[in-house]
Amino acid sequence: QLQLVESGGGLVQPGGSLRLSCAASGFSLGWYTIGWFRQAPGKEREGVSCISRNDGDKYAADSVKGRFTISRDNARNAVVLQMNNLKPEDAAVYYCAAHRYSYCSGDMAPYEYWGQGTQVTVSS
């Protein structure tokens, strides 16, 4: 079974950057569409960004367009979320998730596999 592990979270000042990584072992992430989601305290989990299994489709929530970039690091069998110009409202637990369809979605429904999450705190 595919197991996903997120890393790279931490504390950053507003305007700063973080690079989150979603890694897997035993299975190539190239076979999966990977999504990043986040959940802040008291709020529902929301889709942030996605890259499809054939890299032909990408998704970014309006709130992160122009600031967050998703890409694959095939050498490390990982998917990276580069987050720039972070804002306090970006603070949340960030999760990566995977499914085997060839399209991107910001909805949770198609995703079969989930990581445990990594905390991102944006504060001065």
Side-chain angles (χ1 to χ4, degrees), residues 23-46:
S25 59
F27 296 86
S28 171
L29 285 185
W31 290 103
Y32 295 86
T33 288
I34 304 298
W36 282 98
F37 292 78
R38 67 186 181 187
Q39 188 167 19
K43 295 188 176 181
E44 293 186 352
R45 194 170 296 188
E46 63 175 351

Side-chain angles (χ1 to χ4, degrees), residues 8-77:
L11 171 64
V12 64
Q13 293 185 343
S17 298
L18 282 175
R19 183 179 173 92
L20 304 185
S21 180
C22 174
S25 59
F27 296 86
S28 171
L29 285 185
W31 290 103
Y32 295 86
T33 288
I34 304 298
W36 282 98
F37 292 78
R38 67 186 181 187
Q39 188 167 19
K43 295 188 176 181
E44 293 186 352
R45 194 170 296 188
E46 63 175 351
V48 174
S49 190
C50 171
I51 185 167
S52 67
R53 57 183 285 177
N54 57 6
D55 291 0
D57 189 18
K58 289 185 179 179
Y59 162 84
D62 288 343
S63 58
V64 306
K65 282 181 180 176
R67 300 188 298 121
F68 291 11
T69 303
I70 192 169
S71 62
R72 291 187 184 272
D73 183 347
N74 292 324
R76 291 179 171 80
N77 195 29

